[in-house]
Amino acid sequence: MGASLRIQNHPIIDFKQKKKITFYFNRRKLEGFEGDSIASALYANGVKVFTKSLRYDNPRGFFCGIGKCASCLMRVNGIPNVRTCIAPLKENIKVETQEKLPALSSAEFNKQHKKTLTVDLLVVGAGPAGMCSSIEAARQGASVLLVDENMDVGGQLIKQTHKFFGSKQERAGTRGIEIAEELKKEIKKLQEQKKINLMVNSTVIGYYEGEKGKHRFGVVKRKGYSSIFYEVVCRAVVFSCGAMENMLLFPGNDLPGVYGAGAVQTLMNVYGVKPGNRVLMVGAGNVGLIVSYQLLQAGVQVDRVVEAAPVIGGYHVHAAKLRRCGVPIYTSYSVKEVYGRNCVEGAVVVKLDENWNPIEGTEEKIKCDTVCLAVGLTPSTRLLSQAGVEMEFIPEAGGYVALHNRFMETTVDNIYVAGDSSGIEEASTAMIEGKIAGVAASLKLGYNQNAKKLLKQYLEELDRLRSGPFGEKPRIAKEKITKFLEKKT
Amino acid sequence: MKEYEKTGVLSLKDLRLPNEKQLEKGVAIIECVQHIPCNPCVDACPFDAISMKDINDLPVVDFDKCVGCGQCISVCPGLAIFVVKHIMDGKALISIPYEFLPVPSVNDKVEALDREGRFVDTVVVKKVVKKGKTWVVTVLANVEDAMNIRNIRV
């Protein structure tokens, strides 16, 4: 069963033949490939249960797939609490399921003094916004440290196999994966010129008091599976930490097989591993529609898409692509429960009335091994909150967000925000916000390579992209943010 | 609320359609009905037949200028452009964007599907062109199915 989950042929992505890697899982010898994460290699081998819940011993699986939840923690080479979804697979490693609260291993932190890095600009998160921020700031002349938790840069962009909308300036018609490659190349070039220092496999863990005019952060870099502690002192920081998948309440929502859309995309488009063979998609926004289509391209059946709202939230063109492949979209429908012993074996969907309440007697049982949740995202803002910036709850932005001006600066001097962590939107606008934050932060630090003209151009681009009916939600979000900001200052 | 907002399926009433003379020449049918900020089709047209005032406007095809060359099919991020050409003997050529495996070859018989993925007819593949990673597959079908066939199953 395991081998069949590897995608053999894909119409868009070239999964090159990679070197085989042998590793051990609970003393069982397994094989994965170079470039796999530990979790993707396990998944391809048919392992779906990764941990047990603390209270009821419920099985837990690959829920978020991007290092944002705790469902995949395991012990690797004796080191507990390794997030296996973002930890690289290496030859002969020993992976074990761990007891609920493992003892702190002495191997976890290398015995050494902290190292200090001093830069102009720290960029937290190397997704579309963070990559663009770093590139722009480096071009302005600022020294940049770009930190990301994953094995490589790109964030969610490296999973977007569809062509982007927009105009020439936003590389419309180009696939997300190709844009990611272009940005990666640019970052590599700037790295070689010593203008960007890139730290992958690294997490910014906290904000600390620093001297006046400076910001100070703790960064943990994973070397092998243990960690090295760095202190980063910077003059400015851009938080482009992305977002977390929203959960939906229903019985069985914690079963392995219930995954966030980001996890499904990661498994199939980064690692070439199918999440299952038959999927129920929950949510008909652009993410739900796009991921459904990507599942079909990967050779996975999509039973249907259910959407609680009475209308399809995503673009009609994405819905039309699915419909002409024979995938039905049920509006005013939701998932009532998901069942199965250790993993998903099926789901029950139910029709909703105009008040979004389930209508008794309309339940329908669906056979599927995967339930994919595409029910929105919540901005990742914890570091911003810790750094003391003013936050407000703005539903149109997806939750609590940092108040920021149009140059993306928050209420704390020289702390900027960009992309989904400044309010949920999409990759094209995230890239422009990143550019604005990068240029504006550099300009304030005294670097000016035509900066004002660039800012004007990027601000205009952003307005244009948000000016249509689909830009209404982010437009309202940003207006509310501006109003709150005016009240505060 | 429009029906397609609920179903994801357009009806012919939602579209502006060319006349018979224009169809005999071959024209692009753009099934793009929402104001999305997007305009690569305008840039792709070598004959300036697709226009848009603002990036959020709907693309408008000048069916007289359009020659049905199909340059726009593979650049549309929404895969929403098709070319229909009425030819002789009650037949039509339909060009469709396609992003699945296996890719058919010329002269293969494939299943033609409508906007809901329902089987319409078995049709013959006449042309397969790869542009980037999107294939444009042209099939020969009965003229009465030309406005309904929008996908193929190989």
Side-chain angles (χ1 to χ4, degrees):
Chain A
M1 173 243 175
S4 66
L5 286 179
R6 290 266 180 202
I7 298 167
Q8 301 303 328
N9 292 302
H10 195 283
I12 310 295
I13 312 166
D14 183 14
F15 293 112
K16 291 187 185 81
Q17 196 67 44
K18 286 176 182 155
K19 202 185 122 203
K20 267 191 188 156
I21 287 182
T22 308
F23 70 106
Y24 297 86
F25 175 59
N26 289 343
R27 297 196 180 158
R28 194 152 60 102
K29 194 173 172 180
L30 297 176
E31 266 179 1
F33 291 98
E34 203 167 33
D36 262 332
S37 67
I38 294 173
S40 72
L42 286 171
Y43 204 93
N45 278 286
V47 178
K48 279 193 165 182
V49 179
F50 288 5
T51 52
K52 291 281 172 73
S53 71
L54 293 180
R55 208 176 203 179
Y56 298 113
D57 267 341
N58 286 341
R60 290 281 189 270
F62 194 89
F63 177 71
C64 88
I66 53 172
K68 305 242 180 194
C69 77
S71 289
C72 69
L73 300 183
M74 289 191 200
R75 183 185 286 109
V76 182
N77 287 350
I79 296 160
N81 291 342
V82 172
R83 284 178 286 176
T84 56
C85 71
I86 57 167
L89 184 73
K90 298 212 170 114
E91 194 73 48
N92 288 324
I93 54 168
K94 290 177 181 63
V95 182
E96 297 164 285
T97 44
Q98 64 185 32
E99 60 277 21
K100 287 174 191 169
L101 294 172
L104 184 63
S105 156
S106 58
E108 195 171 1
F109 286 93
N110 290 345
K111 284 199 182 87
Q112 57 180 345
H113 292 290
K114 69 174 196 297
K115 293 178 183 172
T116 302
L117 298 171
T118 307
V119 288
D120 286 327
L121 181 69
L122 167 68
V123 178
V124 187
M131 288 196 287
C132 287
S133 265
S134 306
I135 291 169
E136 292 290 325
R139 282 184 188 156
Q140 288 296 317
S143 63
V144 178
L145 173 66
L146 175 59
V147 179
D148 195 279
E149 290 195 305
N150 293 279
M151 296 184 246
D152 202 355
V153 297
Q156 304 310 302
L157 208 51
I158 56 170
K159 302 152 196 185
Q160 311 309 326
T161 52
H162 61 284
K163 290 182 269 198
F164 277 30
F165 294 82
S167 71
K168 258 190 209 156
Q169 278 155 311
E170 295 91 35
R171 303 179 177 84
T174 313
R175 292 173 201 276
I177 45 173
E178 294 158 354
I179 298 174
E181 278 307 316
E182 288 170 27
L183 293 174
K184 250 190 215 178
K185 259 189 214 153
E186 189 59 30
I187 285 177
K188 210 170 166 206
K189 206 175 90 192
L190 291 162
Q191 253 182 296
E192 280 159 11
Q193 296 168 3
K194 309 261 183 246
K195 290 177 177 166
I196 292 179
N197 179 6
L198 173 66
M199 277 170 82
V200 289
N201 292 314
S202 304
T203 308
V204 179
I205 56 161
Y207 182 75
Y208 301 93
E209 199 179 8
E211 54 183 293
K212 203 167 181 287
K214 300 269 171 77
H215 295 292
R216 196 161 149 248
F217 293 91
V219 178
V220 167
K221 183 175 172 61
R222 287 174 290 283
K223 197 179 173 195
Y225 302 98
S226 61
S227 312
I228 304 167
F229 188 76
Y230 286 84
E231 174 193 44
V232 173
V233 178
C234 58
R235 296 167 68 200
V237 55
V238 176
F239 286 105
S240 44
C241 331
M244 286 177 296
E245 206 88 50
N246 288 345
M247 195 54 182
L248 205 59
L249 281 177
F250 55 83
N253 67 357
D254 58 345
L255 271 177
V258 178
Y259 305 135
V264 166
Q265 273 195 319
T266 306
L267 256 187
M268 69 179 173
N269 294 348
V270 177
Y271 300 112
V273 178
K274 292 191 249 183
N277 292 308
R278 193 169 178 87
V279 176
L280 166 67
M281 179 63 67
V282 184
N286 274 333
V287 174
L289 299 173
I290 289 169
V291 176
S292 295
Y293 188 72
Q294 292 175 354
L295 281 160
L296 298 178
Q297 288 178 310
V300 180
Q301 292 173 356
V302 179
D303 183 275
R304 70 189 68 184
V305 180
V306 291
E307 166 59 59
V311 290
I312 295 167
Y315 291 165
H316 164 75
V317 288
H318 286 315
K321 273 157 55 183
L322 269 187
R323 291 304 317 268
R324 62 180 185 255
C325 290
V327 177
I329 300 171
Y330 286 64
T331 47
S332 295
Y333 260 83
S334 190
V335 55
K336 188 181 177 193
E337 66 168 288
V338 170
Y339 59 89
R341 274 171 66 85
N342 259 323
C343 309
V344 173
E345 291 167 24
V348 178
V349 295
V350 66
K351 193 170 169 51
L352 306 179
D353 64 20
E354 58 268 36
N355 300 314
W356 299 47
N357 293 317
I359 304 171
E360 223 177 294
T362 60
E363 291 88 354
E364 193 183 332
K365 231 175 176 176
I366 290 173
K367 271 239 162 281
C368 58
D369 56 14
T370 308
V371 175
C372 182
L373 300 181
V375 290
L377 299 155
T378 301
S380 291
T381 55
R382 284 163 298 189
L383 278 167
L384 281 153
S385 174
Q386 199 210 357
V389 311
E390 297 272 5
M391 312 279 294
E392 283 294 341
F393 186 85
I394 295 171
E396 292 84 358
Y400 276 97
V401 285
L403 299 184
H404 56 270
N405 63 20
R406 62 196 189 111
F407 299 111
M408 308 311 293
E409 191 174 14
T410 67
T411 53
V412 175
D413 233 14
N414 293 319
I415 295 188
Y416 293 76
V417 66
D420 271 356
S421 59
S422 78
I424 304 301
E425 214 171 337
E426 43 80 51
S428 300
T429 46
M431 287 190 273
I432 305 176
E433 282 189 343
K435 289 178 185 178
I436 292 170
V439 175
S442 309
L443 180 61
K444 209 170 158 190
L445 297 182
Y447 299 98
N448 187 353
Q449 302 287 330
N450 219 358
K452 283 180 184 157
K453 202 180 149 199
L454 281 175
L455 283 174
K456 189 171 169 267
Q457 180 196 324
Y458 297 150
L459 286 167
E460 281 168 6
E461 244 180 88
L462 201 53
D463 281 346
R464 204 167 52 239
L465 280 190
R466 284 186 187 138
S467 62
F470 282 94
E472 195 188 354
K473 214 163 137 183
R475 226 160 45 222
I476 293 172
K478 297 292 175 183
E479 277 163 18
K480 282 189 179 176
I481 289 170
T482 309
K483 272 194 192 139
F484 273 119
L485 197 63
E486 280 164 3
K487 260 191 235 163
K488 304 265 176 192
T489 49
Chain B
M1 188 204 303
K2 296 246 170 64
E3 189 62 17
Y4 68 77
E5 293 180 293
K6 252 178 85 143
T7 61
V9 179
L10 290 181
S11 81
L12 293 184
K13 278 180 279 177
D14 298 310
L15 299 169
R16 199 175 59 89
L17 296 173
N19 62 33
E20 182 56 33
K21 207 172 159 194
Q22 291 161 333
L23 280 164
E24 279 170 14
K25 171 172 64 89
V27 281
I29 310 291
I30 304 191
E31 305 202 352
C32 175
V33 292
Q34 290 172 324
H35 296 261
I36 299 169
C38 185
N39 67 5
C41 55
V42 176
D43 294 328
C45 182
F47 302 95
D48 287 328
I50 308 175
S51 59
M52 204 184 274
K53 276 196 206 101
D54 179 84
I55 191 164
N56 280 292
D57 285 339
L58 298 183
V60 178
V61 181
D62 182 330
F63 292 128
D64 291 322
K65 273 192 192 170
C66 175
V67 301
C69 72
Q71 291 292 321
C72 50
I73 298 177
S74 58
V75 302
C76 172
L79 303 185
I81 308 183
F82 307 84
V83 167
V84 175
K85 182 178 183 172
H86 288 186
I87 55 172
M88 306 223 271
D89 306 324
K91 293 282 181 187
L93 291 166
I94 308 151
S95 300
I96 294 168
Y98 186 72
E99 292 188 336
F100 289 96
L101 294 177
V103 179
S105 305
V106 171
N107 292 329
D108 279 359
K109 283 187 176 158
V110 297
E111 291 180 19
L113 311 176
D114 68 6
R115 291 183 184 82
E116 291 177 66
R118 290 178 306 205
F119 175 79
V120 178
D121 197 4
T122 302
V123 294
V124 178
V125 174
K126 285 289 171 190
K127 201 173 160 191
V128 180
V129 185
K130 191 180 182 186
K131 279 238 172 137
K133 280 167 179 168
T134 306
W135 286 271
V136 176
V137 178
T138 303
V139 297
L140 182 69
N142 291 324
V143 78
E144 58 269 26
D145 296 329
M147 279 302 159
N148 290 326
I149 293 173
R150 287 298 175 264
N151 196 10
I152 54 162
R153 191 186 295 137
V154 183

